Amino acid sequence: MPHAHLHLDPKVREEARRRLLSAKGHLEGVLRMLEDEGVYCVDVLKQLKAVQGALDRVGEMVLRAHLRDHVATAHERGDVEEIVEELMEALKYR
């Protein structure tokens, strides 16, 4: 962990956790849908899009917190290059 002293804001962390638990429940519902042989493809696609949207919103929330709390203050800490490289690496997976 390169930045052990930098932490996700507790309010953002708890909200992200709450949203992910909700998305987990939604995903479990999709898995139950798939147990039904008569499930319609478009219904599954709609539910998957909803889960994906929920995950994207959590990602945006965490990214916003990172930009606000860590990137914006990197110059003060003297770790601009490290923070930029770390963020670029993380964004490869978006």
Side-chain angles (χ1 to χ4, degrees):
M1 190 188 256
H3 293 285
H5 61 286
L6 299 178
H7 303 283
L8 183 58
D9 177 89
K11 289 178 186 173
V12 174
R13 184 173 48 84
E14 193 50 45
E15 179 66 12
R17 185 178 184 286
R18 186 186 66 72
R19 287 176 181 242
L20 287 173
L21 287 171
S22 176
K24 176 184 175 186
H26 203 144
L27 185 57
E28 288 169 349
V30 176
L31 287 167
R32 283 191 298 278
M33 284 176 70
L34 293 172
E35 292 173 5
D36 178 0
E37 291 180 11
V39 68
Y40 183 51
C41 315
V42 173
D43 293 338
V44 173
L45 290 170
K46 286 178 183 178
Q47 294 306 310
L48 288 173
K49 192 66 177 167
V51 172
Q52 193 171 27
L55 294 176
D56 287 345
R57 284 187 295 281
V58 172
E60 289 170 10
M61 179 189 332
V62 172
L63 176 58
R64 181 178 301 278
H66 181 68
L67 291 170
R68 180 190 65 232
D69 299 338
H70 306 306
V71 175
T73 58
H75 184 71
E76 295 166 18
R77 287 189 313 275
D79 61 356
V80 172
E81 285 304 315
E82 192 175 349
I83 287 284
V84 168
E85 286 305 314
E86 182 180 69
L87 184 55
M88 293 305 293
E89 180 67 24
L91 292 177
K92 280 187 199 177
Y93 303 106
R94 285 196 96 200

Coordinates of all heavy atoms in Angstrom, one line a residue:
M1 N 0.8 -1.2 0.0 CA 0.0 0.0 0.0 C 0.9 1.2 0.0 O 1.4 1.6 1.0 CB -0.9 -0.1 1.2 CG -2.0 1.0 1.2 SD -2.9 1.0 2.8 CE -4.3 0.1 2.4
P2 N 1.1 1.9 -1.1 CA 2.0 3.0 -1.2 C 1.6 4.2 -0.4 O 2.5 4.9 0.0 CB 2.0 3.3 -2.7 CG 0.9 2.6 -3.4 CD 0.4 1.6 -2.4
H3 N 0.4 4.4 -0.1 CA -0.1 5.6 0.6 C -0.8 5.2 1.9 O -2.0 5.5 2.0 CB -0.9 6.5 -0.3 CG -0.2 7.1 -1.4 ND1 0.7 8.2 -1.2 CD2 -0.1 6.8 -2.7 CE1 1.2 8.5 -2.4 NE2 0.8 7.7 -3.3
A4 N -0.2 4.5 2.8 CA -0.8 4.0 4.0 C -1.4 5.1 4.8 O -2.4 4.9 5.5 CB 0.2 3.2 4.8
H5 N -0.9 6.3 4.7 CA -1.4 7.5 5.5 C -2.6 8.1 4.8 O -3.2 9.0 5.4 CB -0.2 8.5 5.7 CG 0.3 9.1 4.4 ND1 1.1 8.3 3.6 CD2 0.1 10.3 3.8 CE1 1.4 9.1 2.5 NE2 0.8 10.3 2.7
L6 N -2.9 7.8 3.6 CA -4.1 8.4 2.9 C -5.2 7.4 3.0 O -5.1 6.2 2.7 CB -3.8 8.7 1.5 CG -2.6 9.7 1.2 CD1 -2.4 9.8 -0.3 CD2 -2.9 11.0 1.9
H7 N -6.4 7.8 3.4 CA -7.5 7.0 3.6 C -8.8 7.5 2.9 O -8.9 8.7 2.8 CB -7.8 6.8 5.1 CG -6.7 6.3 5.9 ND1 -6.3 4.9 5.8 CD2 -5.8 6.9 6.7 CE1 -5.3 4.8 6.6 NE2 -4.9 6.0 7.1
L8 N -9.6 6.6 2.5 CA -10.9 7.0 2.0 C -11.8 7.7 3.1 O -11.8 7.1 4.2 CB -11.7 5.8 1.4 CG -13.0 6.0 0.7 CD1 -12.9 7.0 -0.5 CD2 -13.5 4.7 0.2
D9 N -12.4 8.8 2.8 CA -13.2 9.5 3.7 C -14.2 8.5 4.3 O -14.9 7.8 3.6 CB -13.9 10.6 3.0 CG -14.9 11.4 3.9 OD1 -14.4 12.4 4.5 OD2 -16.1 11.0 3.9
P10 N -14.4 8.5 5.6 CA -15.3 7.5 6.3 C -16.7 7.6 5.8 O -17.4 6.6 5.6 CB -15.2 7.9 7.8 CG -13.9 8.6 7.9 CD -13.6 9.3 6.6
K11 N -17.2 8.8 5.5 CA -18.6 8.9 5.0 C -18.7 8.3 3.6 O -19.7 7.6 3.3 CB -19.0 10.4 5.0 CG -19.3 11.0 6.3 CD -19.6 12.4 6.2 CE -19.7 13.0 7.6 NZ -19.9 14.5 7.6
V12 N -17.7 8.6 2.8 CA -17.7 8.0 1.4 C -17.6 6.5 1.5 O -18.3 5.8 0.8 CB -16.6 8.6 0.5 CG1 -16.5 7.9 -0.8 CG2 -16.8 10.1 0.4
R13 N -16.7 6.0 2.3 CA -16.5 4.6 2.5 C -17.8 3.9 2.9 O -18.2 2.9 2.3 CB -15.4 4.3 3.5 CG -15.0 2.9 3.7 CD -13.8 2.7 4.6 NE -13.9 3.4 5.8 CZ -14.5 3.0 6.9 NH1 -15.1 1.8 6.9 NH2 -14.5 3.7 8.0
E14 N -18.5 4.5 3.9 CA -19.7 3.8 4.3 C -20.8 3.9 3.3 O -21.6 2.9 3.1 CB -20.2 4.5 5.6 CG -21.3 3.8 6.3 CD -21.0 2.3 6.6 OE1 -19.9 1.9 7.0 OE2 -21.9 1.4 6.3
E15 N -20.9 5.0 2.5 CA -21.9 5.1 1.5 C -21.6 4.1 0.3 O -22.5 3.5 -0.2 CB -22.0 6.6 0.9 CG -22.9 6.8 -0.2 CD -24.4 6.6 0.2 OE1 -24.7 6.5 1.4 OE2 -25.2 6.5 -0.7
A16 N -20.3 4.0 0.0 CA -19.9 3.0 -1.0 C -20.2 1.6 -0.6 O -20.7 0.8 -1.4 CB -18.4 3.2 -1.3
R17 N -20.0 1.3 0.7 CA -20.3 0.0 1.2 C -21.8 -0.3 1.1 O -22.2 -1.4 0.7 CB -19.8 -0.1 2.6 CG -19.9 -1.5 3.2 CD -19.4 -1.5 4.7 NE -19.4 -2.8 5.2 CZ -20.6 -3.4 5.6 NH1 -21.7 -2.8 5.5 NH2 -20.6 -4.7 6.1
R18 N -22.6 0.7 1.5 CA -24.0 0.5 1.5 C -24.5 0.3 0.0 O -25.3 -0.6 -0.2 CB -24.7 1.8 2.1 CG -26.2 1.7 2.2 CD -26.8 3.0 2.7 NE -26.7 4.0 1.7 CZ -27.4 4.1 0.5 NH1 -28.3 3.1 0.2 NH2 -27.3 5.1 -0.3
R19 N -24.0 1.1 -0.9 CA -24.4 0.9 -2.3 C -23.9 -0.4 -2.9 O -24.7 -1.0 -3.7 CB -23.8 2.1 -3.1 CG -24.5 3.4 -2.9 CD -23.9 4.5 -3.6 NE -24.5 5.8 -3.4 CZ -25.1 6.5 -4.3 NH1 -25.1 6.1 -5.6 NH2 -25.6 7.7 -4.0
L20 N -22.8 -0.9 -2.5 CA -22.3 -2.1 -3.0 C -23.1 -3.3 -2.4 O -23.3 -4.3 -3.1 CB -20.8 -2.3 -2.7 CG -19.8 -1.5 -3.5 CD1 -18.4 -1.6 -3.0 CD2 -19.9 -1.8 -5.0
L21 N -23.5 -3.2 -1.2 CA -24.4 -4.3 -0.6 C -25.7 -4.3 -1.4 O -26.2 -5.4 -1.6 CB -24.6 -4.0 0.9 CG -23.4 -4.3 1.8 CD1 -23.7 -3.9 3.2 CD2 -23.1 -5.8 1.7
S22 N -26.2 -3.1 -1.7 CA -27.4 -3.1 -2.5 C -27.2 -3.7 -3.9 O -28.0 -4.5 -4.4 CB -27.9 -1.6 -2.7 OG -29.0 -1.5 -3.5
A23 N -26.1 -3.4 -4.6 CA -25.8 -3.9 -5.9 C -25.6 -5.5 -5.8 O -26.0 -6.2 -6.7 CB -24.5 -3.3 -6.4
K24 N -25.0 -5.9 -4.7 CA -24.8 -7.3 -4.4 C -26.2 -8.0 -4.4 O -26.4 -9.1 -5.0 CB -24.1 -7.6 -3.1 CG -23.9 -9.0 -2.8 CD -23.2 -9.2 -1.4 CE -23.2 -10.6 -1.0 NZ -22.6 -10.8 0.4
G25 N -27.1 -7.4 -3.7 CA -28.5 -8.0 -3.6 C -29.1 -8.0 -5.0 O -29.8 -9.0 -5.4
H26 N -28.9 -7.0 -5.7 CA -29.5 -6.9 -7.1 C -28.9 -8.0 -8.0 O -29.6 -8.7 -8.7 CB -29.2 -5.5 -7.7 CG -30.1 -5.1 -8.8 ND1 -30.6 -3.8 -9.0 CD2 -30.7 -5.8 -9.8 CE1 -31.4 -3.8 -10.0 NE2 -31.5 -5.0 -10.5
L27 N -27.6 -8.1 -7.9 CA -26.9 -9.2 -8.7 C -27.3 -10.6 -8.3 O -27.5 -11.4 -9.1 CB -25.4 -9.1 -8.5 CG -24.5 -10.0 -9.3 CD1 -24.8 -9.8 -10.8 CD2 -23.0 -9.7 -9.0
E28 N -27.6 -10.8 -7.0 CA -28.1 -12.1 -6.6 C -29.5 -12.3 -7.2 O -29.8 -13.4 -7.5 CB -28.1 -12.1 -5.0 CG -26.7 -12.3 -4.5 CD -26.7 -12.1 -2.9 OE1 -27.7 -11.7 -2.3 OE2 -25.6 -12.4 -2.4
G29 N -30.3 -11.2 -7.3 CA -31.6 -11.3 -8.0 C -31.4 -11.8 -9.4 O -32.2 -12.5 -9.9
V30 N -30.4 -11.2 -10.1 CA -30.2 -11.6 -11.5 C -29.8 -13.1 -11.6 O -30.3 -13.8 -12.5 CB -29.1 -10.7 -12.1 CG1 -28.7 -11.2 -13.6 CG2 -29.5 -9.3 -12.1
L31 N -29.0 -13.5 -10.6 CA -28.6 -14.9 -10.6 C -29.8 -15.8 -10.4 O -30.0 -16.9 -11.1 CB -27.6 -15.2 -9.5 CG -26.2 -14.7 -9.8 CD1 -25.3 -14.7 -8.5 CD2 -25.5 -15.5 -10.9
R32 N -30.8 -15.4 -9.6 CA -32.0 -16.1 -9.4 C -32.8 -16.1 -10.7 O -33.4 -17.2 -11.0 CB -32.8 -15.6 -8.2 CG -32.3 -16.0 -6.9 CD -33.2 -15.6 -5.7 NE -33.5 -14.2 -5.6 CZ -32.7 -13.3 -5.0 NH1 -31.6 -13.7 -4.5 NH2 -33.0 -12.0 -5.0
M33 N -32.8 -15.0 -11.4 CA -33.6 -14.9 -12.7 C -33.0 -16.0 -13.6 O -33.8 -16.6 -14.4 CB -33.4 -13.6 -13.3 CG -34.1 -12.4 -12.8 SD -33.7 -10.9 -13.6 CE -34.4 -11.1 -15.2
L34 N -31.7 -16.2 -13.6 CA -31.1 -17.1 -14.6 C -31.4 -18.6 -14.2 O -31.1 -19.4 -15.1 CB -29.6 -16.8 -14.6 CG -29.2 -15.5 -15.2 CD1 -27.7 -15.2 -15.1 CD2 -29.6 -15.4 -16.7
E35 N -31.9 -18.8 -13.1 CA -32.3 -20.2 -12.7 C -33.6 -20.6 -13.4 O -33.9 -21.8 -13.6 CB -32.4 -20.3 -11.2 CG -31.1 -20.2 -10.5 CD -31.3 -20.2 -9.0 OE1 -32.4 -20.3 -8.5 OE2 -30.3 -20.0 -8.3
D36 N -34.3 -19.6 -13.9 CA -35.6 -19.8 -14.6 C -35.3 -20.0 -16.1 O -34.8 -19.2 -16.8 CB -36.5 -18.6 -14.4 CG -37.8 -18.7 -15.2 OD1 -38.1 -19.7 -15.8 OD2 -38.6 -17.7 -15.1
E37 N -35.7 -21.2 -16.6 CA -35.4 -21.6 -18.0 C -36.2 -20.6 -18.9 O -35.8 -20.5 -20.1 CB -35.8 -23.0 -18.2 CG -34.9 -24.0 -17.6 CD -35.3 -25.5 -17.9 OE1 -36.2 -25.7 -18.7 OE2 -34.7 -26.3 -17.2
G38 N -37.2 -20.0 -18.5 CA -38.0 -19.2 -19.3 C -37.7 -17.7 -19.3 O -38.4 -16.9 -19.8
V39 N -36.5 -17.4 -18.6 CA -36.1 -16.0 -18.5 C -35.9 -15.4 -19.9 O -35.3 -16.0 -20.7 CB -34.9 -15.8 -17.5 CG1 -33.7 -16.4 -18.2 CG2 -34.7 -14.4 -17.1
Y40 N -36.3 -14.1 -20.0 CA -36.1 -13.4 -21.3 C -34.8 -12.7 -21.3 O -34.5 -12.0 -20.3 CB -37.3 -12.5 -21.5 CG -37.3 -11.8 -22.8 CD1 -37.2 -12.4 -24.0 CD2 -37.5 -10.4 -22.8 CE1 -37.2 -11.8 -25.2 CE2 -37.6 -9.7 -24.1 CZ -37.4 -10.4 -25.2 OH -37.4 -9.7 -26.4
C41 N -34.1 -12.8 -22.4 CA -32.7 -12.2 -22.5 C -32.7 -10.7 -22.2 O -31.9 -10.2 -21.5 CB -32.2 -12.3 -23.9 SG -32.4 -13.9 -24.7
V42 N -33.7 -10.0 -22.7 CA -33.7 -8.5 -22.5 C -33.9 -8.2 -21.1 O -33.4 -7.2 -20.5 CB -34.8 -7.9 -23.4 CG1 -35.0 -6.4 -23.1 CG2 -34.4 -8.1 -24.9
D43 N -34.7 -9.0 -20.4 CA -34.9 -8.7 -18.9 C -33.6 -8.9 -18.2 O -33.3 -8.1 -17.3 CB -36.0 -9.7 -18.3 CG -37.4 -9.4 -18.9 OD1 -37.6 -8.3 -19.4 OD2 -38.2 -10.3 -18.9
V44 N -32.8 -9.9 -18.5 CA -31.5 -10.1 -17.9 C -30.6 -8.9 -18.2 O -29.9 -8.4 -17.3 CB -30.9 -11.4 -18.3 CG1 -29.5 -11.5 -17.8 CG2 -31.8 -12.6 -17.8
L45 N -30.6 -8.5 -19.5 CA -29.7 -7.4 -19.9 C -30.1 -6.1 -19.1 O -29.2 -5.4 -18.7 CB -29.8 -7.2 -21.4 CG -29.2 -8.3 -22.3 CD1 -29.6 -8.1 -23.7 CD2 -27.7 -8.3 -22.1
K46 N -31.4 -5.8 -19.0 CA -31.8 -4.6 -18.2 C -31.3 -4.7 -16.8 O -30.8 -3.7 -16.3 CB -33.3 -4.5 -18.3 CG -33.9 -4.1 -19.6 CD -35.4 -4.0 -19.5 CE -36.0 -3.6 -20.8 NZ -37.5 -3.6 -20.8
Q47 N -31.4 -5.8 -16.2 CA -31.0 -6.0 -14.8 C -29.5 -5.9 -14.6 O -29.0 -5.3 -13.7 CB -31.5 -7.3 -14.2 CG -33.0 -7.3 -14.0 CD -33.6 -6.1 -13.3 OE1 -33.1 -5.8 -12.2 NE2 -34.6 -5.5 -13.9
L48 N -28.8 -6.4 -15.6 CA -27.3 -6.3 -15.6 C -26.9 -4.9 -15.8 O -25.9 -4.4 -15.1 CB -26.7 -7.2 -16.7 CG -26.7 -8.7 -16.4 CD1 -26.3 -9.5 -17.7 CD2 -25.9 -9.1 -15.2
K49 N -27.6 -4.2 -16.6 CA -27.2 -2.7 -16.8 C -27.5 -1.9 -15.5 O -26.7 -1.0 -15.2 CB -28.1 -2.2 -18.0 CG -27.6 -0.9 -18.5 CD -26.3 -0.9 -19.1 CE -25.8 0.4 -19.6 NZ -24.4 0.4 -20.0
A50 N -28.5 -2.3 -14.8 CA -28.8 -1.6 -13.6 C -27.7 -1.9 -12.5 O -27.2 -1.0 -11.8 CB -30.1 -2.1 -13.0
V51 N -27.2 -3.1 -12.5 CA -26.1 -3.5 -11.5 C -24.9 -2.7 -12.0 O -24.2 -2.1 -11.1 CB -25.9 -5.0 -11.5 CG1 -24.6 -5.3 -10.7 CG2 -27.1 -5.7 -10.9
Q52 N -24.6 -2.7 -13.3 CA -23.4 -2.1 -13.8 C -23.5 -0.6 -13.5 O -22.5 0.1 -13.1 CB -23.3 -2.3 -15.3 CG -22.0 -1.9 -15.9 CD -21.9 -2.4 -17.3 OE1 -23.0 -2.5 -18.0 NE2 -20.7 -2.6 -17.8
G53 N -24.6 0.0 -13.6 CA -24.8 1.4 -13.3 C -24.5 1.7 -11.9 O -23.9 2.7 -11.5
A54 N -25.0 0.9 -11.0 CA -24.8 1.0 -9.5 C -23.3 1.0 -9.2 O -22.7 1.8 -8.5 CB -25.5 0.0 -8.8
L55 N -22.6 0.0 -9.8 CA -21.1 -0.1 -9.6 C -20.4 1.1 -10.2 O -19.5 1.6 -9.5 CB -20.6 -1.4 -10.3 CG -21.1 -2.7 -9.7 CD1 -20.6 -3.9 -10.6 CD2 -20.7 -2.8 -8.3
D56 N -20.8 1.6 -11.3 CA -20.2 2.8 -11.9 C -20.4 4.0 -11.0 O -19.4 4.8 -10.8 CB -20.8 3.1 -13.3 CG -20.3 2.2 -14.4 OD1 -19.4 1.4 -14.1 OD2 -21.0 2.2 -15.4
R57 N -21.6 4.1 -10.4 CA -21.8 5.3 -9.5 C -20.9 5.2 -8.2 O -20.4 6.2 -7.8 CB -23.3 5.4 -9.1 CG -24.1 5.9 -10.2 CD -25.5 6.2 -9.9 NE -26.3 5.0 -9.5 CZ -26.8 4.1 -10.4 NH1 -26.7 4.4 -11.7 NH2 -27.5 3.1 -10.0
V58 N -20.7 4.0 -7.7 CA -19.8 3.8 -6.6 C -18.4 4.2 -7.0 O -17.6 4.9 -6.3 CB -19.8 2.4 -6.0 CG1 -18.7 2.2 -5.0 CG2 -21.2 2.1 -5.4
G59 N -17.9 3.8 -8.2 CA -16.6 4.1 -8.7 C -16.4 5.6 -8.8 O -15.4 6.2 -8.5
E60 N -17.5 6.3 -9.3 CA -17.4 7.7 -9.5 C -17.3 8.4 -8.1 O -16.6 9.4 -8.0 CB -18.6 8.2 -10.3 CG -18.6 7.8 -11.7 CD -19.9 8.1 -12.4 OE1 -20.8 8.8 -11.9 OE2 -20.1 7.6 -13.6
M61 N -18.0 7.9 -7.2 CA -18.0 8.5 -5.8 C -16.6 8.4 -5.2 O -16.1 9.4 -4.6 CB -19.1 7.8 -5.0 CG -19.1 8.3 -3.5 SD -20.2 7.2 -2.5 CE -21.3 6.5 -3.6
V62 N -16.0 7.2 -5.3 CA -14.7 7.0 -4.8 C -13.7 7.8 -5.5 O -12.8 8.4 -4.9 CB -14.3 5.5 -4.8 CG1 -12.9 5.3 -4.4 CG2 -15.3 4.7 -3.9
L63 N -13.8 7.9 -6.9 CA -12.9 8.7 -7.6 C -13.0 10.2 -7.3 O -12.0 10.9 -7.1 CB -13.2 8.6 -9.1 CG -12.3 9.4 -10.1 CD1 -10.8 9.2 -9.9 CD2 -12.8 9.2 -11.5
R64 N -14.2 10.7 -7.1 CA -14.4 12.1 -6.7 C -13.7 12.4 -5.4 O -13.0 13.4 -5.2 CB -15.9 12.4 -6.6 CG -16.2 13.9 -6.3 CD -17.7 14.1 -6.3 NE -18.3 13.9 -7.6 CZ -18.3 14.7 -8.6 NH1 -17.7 15.9 -8.5 NH2 -18.8 14.4 -9.7
A65 N -13.9 11.4 -4.4 CA -13.3 11.6 -3.1 C -11.8 11.6 -3.2 O -11.1 12.4 -2.5 CB -13.7 10.5 -2.1
H66 N -11.2 10.7 -4.0 CA -9.8 10.7 -4.2 C -9.2 12.0 -4.8 O -8.2 12.5 -4.3 CB -9.4 9.5 -5.1 CG -7.9 9.3 -5.3 ND1 -7.1 9.0 -4.3 CD2 -7.2 9.5 -6.4 CE1 -5.8 8.9 -4.7 NE2 -5.9 9.2 -6.0
L67 N -9.9 12.5 -5.8 CA -9.5 13.7 -6.5 C -9.5 14.9 -5.5 O -8.6 15.6 -5.3 CB -10.4 14.0 -7.7 CG -10.2 13.1 -8.9 CD1 -11.3 13.4 -9.9 CD2 -8.8 13.2 -9.5
R68 N -10.6 14.9 -4.7 CA -10.8 16.0 -3.8 C -9.8 15.9 -2.6 O -9.2 16.9 -2.2 CB -12.3 16.0 -3.2 CG -12.6 17.1 -2.2 CD -13.9 16.8 -1.6 NE -13.9 15.6 -0.8 CZ -14.8 14.6 -0.9 NH1 -15.8 14.7 -1.7 NH2 -14.7 13.6 -0.1
D69 N -9.7 14.7 -2.0 CA -8.9 14.6 -0.8 C -7.5 14.3 -1.0 O -6.7 14.6 -0.1 CB -9.6 13.5 0.1 CG -11.0 13.8 0.4 OD1 -11.4 15.0 0.4 OD2 -11.7 12.8 0.8
H70 N -7.1 13.7 -2.1 CA -5.7 13.3 -2.3 C -5.0 14.0 -3.4 O -3.8 14.4 -3.3 CB -5.6 11.8 -2.3 CG -6.2 11.1 -1.2 ND1 -6.0 11.4 0.1 CD2 -7.2 10.2 -1.1 CE1 -6.7 10.7 0.9 NE2 -7.5 9.9 0.2
V71 N -5.6 14.0 -4.6 CA -5.0 14.6 -5.8 C -4.8 16.1 -5.6 O -3.7 16.6 -5.9 CB -5.7 14.2 -7.1 CG1 -5.1 14.9 -8.3 CG2 -5.7 12.7 -7.3
A72 N -5.9 16.7 -5.1 CA -5.8 18.2 -5.0 C -4.8 18.6 -3.9 O -4.3 19.8 -4.0 CB -7.2 18.7 -4.5
T73 N -4.4 17.7 -3.1 CA -3.4 18.1 -2.0 C -2.0 17.5 -2.3 O -1.1 17.6 -1.4 CB -3.9 17.7 -0.6 OG1 -4.1 16.3 -0.6 CG2 -5.2 18.4 -0.3
A74 N -1.8 16.8 -3.4 CA -0.6 16.1 -3.7 C 0.6 17.1 -3.7 O 1.7 16.7 -3.2 CB -0.7 15.3 -5.0
H75 N 0.4 18.2 -4.2 CA 1.5 19.2 -4.3 C 2.0 19.6 -2.9 O 3.3 19.6 -2.7 CB 1.1 20.5 -5.1 CG 2.2 21.4 -5.3 ND1 3.2 21.2 -6.1 CD2 2.4 22.6 -4.7 CE1 4.1 22.2 -6.1 NE2 3.6 23.1 -5.2
E76 N 1.1 19.8 -2.0 CA 1.5 20.1 -0.6 C 2.3 19.0 0.0 O 3.2 19.2 0.8 CB 0.2 20.3 0.2 CG -0.6 21.5 -0.2 CD -2.0 21.5 0.5 OE1 -2.2 20.8 1.5 OE2 -2.8 22.2 -0.1
R77 N 2.0 17.7 -0.3 CA 2.7 16.6 0.2 C 4.0 16.3 -0.5 O 4.8 15.5 -0.1 CB 1.8 15.3 0.2 CG 0.7 15.3 1.2 CD 0.0 13.9 1.3 NE -0.3 13.4 -0.1 CZ -1.4 13.7 -0.7 NH1 -2.3 14.5 -0.2 NH2 -1.6 13.2 -1.9
G78 N 4.1 16.8 -1.8 CA 5.2 16.5 -2.6 C 5.2 15.2 -3.3 O 6.3 14.7 -3.6
D79 N 4.0 14.6 -3.5 CA 4.0 13.3 -4.2 C 3.1 13.4 -5.4 O 2.4 12.4 -5.8 CB 3.5 12.3 -3.2 CG 2.1 12.5 -2.6 OD1 1.5 13.6 -2.9 OD2 1.6 11.6 -1.9
V80 N 3.2 14.5 -6.2 CA 2.3 14.7 -7.4 C 2.5 13.5 -8.4 O 1.6 12.9 -8.8 CB 2.6 16.0 -8.0 CG1 1.9 16.1 -9.4 CG2 2.2 17.2 -7.1
E81 N 3.8 13.3 -8.7 CA 4.0 12.2 -9.8 C 3.5 10.9 -9.3 O 2.9 10.1 -10.1 CB 5.5 12.2 -10.1 CG 6.0 13.3 -11.0 CD 5.2 13.5 -12.3 OE1 5.0 12.5 -12.9 OE2 4.8 14.6 -12.6
E82 N 3.8 10.5 -8.1 CA 3.4 9.2 -7.6 C 1.8 9.1 -7.6 O 1.3 8.1 -8.0 CB 3.9 9.1 -6.1 CG 3.8 7.7 -5.6 CD 4.4 7.5 -4.2 OE1 5.1 8.5 -3.8 OE2 4.1 6.5 -3.6
I83 N 1.1 10.2 -7.2 CA -0.3 10.2 -7.1 C -0.9 10.1 -8.5 O -1.8 9.4 -8.8 CB -0.8 11.5 -6.4 CG1 -0.6 11.3 -4.9 CG2 -2.3 11.7 -6.7 CD1 -1.6 10.4 -4.2
V84 N -0.3 10.8 -9.5 CA -0.8 10.8 -10.9 C -0.6 9.4 -11.5 O -1.5 8.9 -12.1 CB -0.1 11.9 -11.7 CG1 -0.3 11.7 -13.2 CG2 -0.5 13.3 -11.3
E85 N 0.6 8.8 -11.3 CA 0.9 7.5 -11.8 C -0.1 6.4 -11.2 O -0.6 5.6 -11.9 CB 2.3 7.1 -11.6 CG 3.3 7.8 -12.5 CD 3.0 7.6 -14.0 OE1 2.7 6.5 -14.4 OE2 3.0 8.6 -14.7
E86 N -0.3 6.5 -9.9 CA -1.2 5.6 -9.2 C -2.6 5.7 -9.8 O -3.3 4.7 -10.1 CB -1.2 6.0 -7.8 CG -2.0 5.1 -6.9 CD -1.9 5.6 -5.4 OE1 -2.4 6.7 -5.1 OE2 -1.3 4.9 -4.7
L87 N -3.1 7.0 -10.0 CA -4.4 7.2 -10.5 C -4.5 6.7 -12.0 O -5.5 6.0 -12.4 CB -4.8 8.6 -10.4 CG -6.2 9.0 -10.8 CD1 -7.3 8.2 -10.1 CD2 -6.5 10.5 -10.6
M88 N -3.5 7.0 -12.8 CA -3.5 6.5 -14.2 C -3.6 5.0 -14.2 O -4.3 4.4 -15.1 CB -2.3 7.0 -14.9 CG -2.3 8.5 -15.1 SD -3.8 9.2 -15.9 CE -3.6 8.5 -17.6
E89 N -2.9 4.3 -13.4 CA -2.9 2.8 -13.3 C -4.3 2.4 -12.9 O -4.8 1.4 -13.5 CB -1.9 2.4 -12.3 CG -1.8 0.9 -12.1 CD -1.3 0.1 -13.3 OE1 -0.6 0.7 -14.1 OE2 -1.6 -1.1 -13.4
A90 N -4.9 3.0 -11.9 CA -6.2 2.6 -11.5 C -7.3 2.8 -12.6 O -8.2 2.0 -12.8 CB -6.7 3.4 -10.3
L91 N -7.1 3.9 -13.4 CA -8.1 4.2 -14.4 C -8.0 3.3 -15.7 O -8.9 3.3 -16.5 CB -8.0 5.7 -14.9 CG -8.4 6.7 -13.8 CD1 -8.2 8.1 -14.3 CD2 -9.9 6.5 -13.4
K92 N -6.9 2.6 -15.8 CA -6.7 1.6 -16.9 C -7.9 0.6 -16.8 O -8.3 0.0 -17.9 CB -5.4 0.8 -16.7 CG -4.2 1.5 -17.2 CD -3.1 0.5 -17.2 CE -1.7 1.1 -17.2 NZ -0.7 0.1 -17.1
Y93 N -8.4 0.3 -15.6 CA -9.4 -0.7 -15.5 C -10.8 -0.3 -15.6 O -11.7 -1.0 -15.3 CB -9.1 -1.4 -14.1 CG -7.8 -2.0 -14.0 CD1 -6.8 -1.3 -13.2 CD2 -7.4 -3.1 -14.7 CE1 -5.5 -1.8 -13.1 CE2 -6.1 -3.6 -14.7 CZ -5.2 -2.9 -13.9 OH -3.9 -3.4 -13.8
R94 N -11.0 1.0 -15.9 CA -12.4 1.5 -16.1 C -12.9 1.3 -17.4 O -12.2 1.2 -18.4 CB -12.4 3.1 -15.8 CG -12.2 3.3 -14.3 CD -12.5 4.7 -14.0 NE -13.9 4.6 -13.6 CZ -14.8 5.6 -13.5 NH1 -14.4 6.8 -13.9 NH2 -16.0 5.5 -13.1

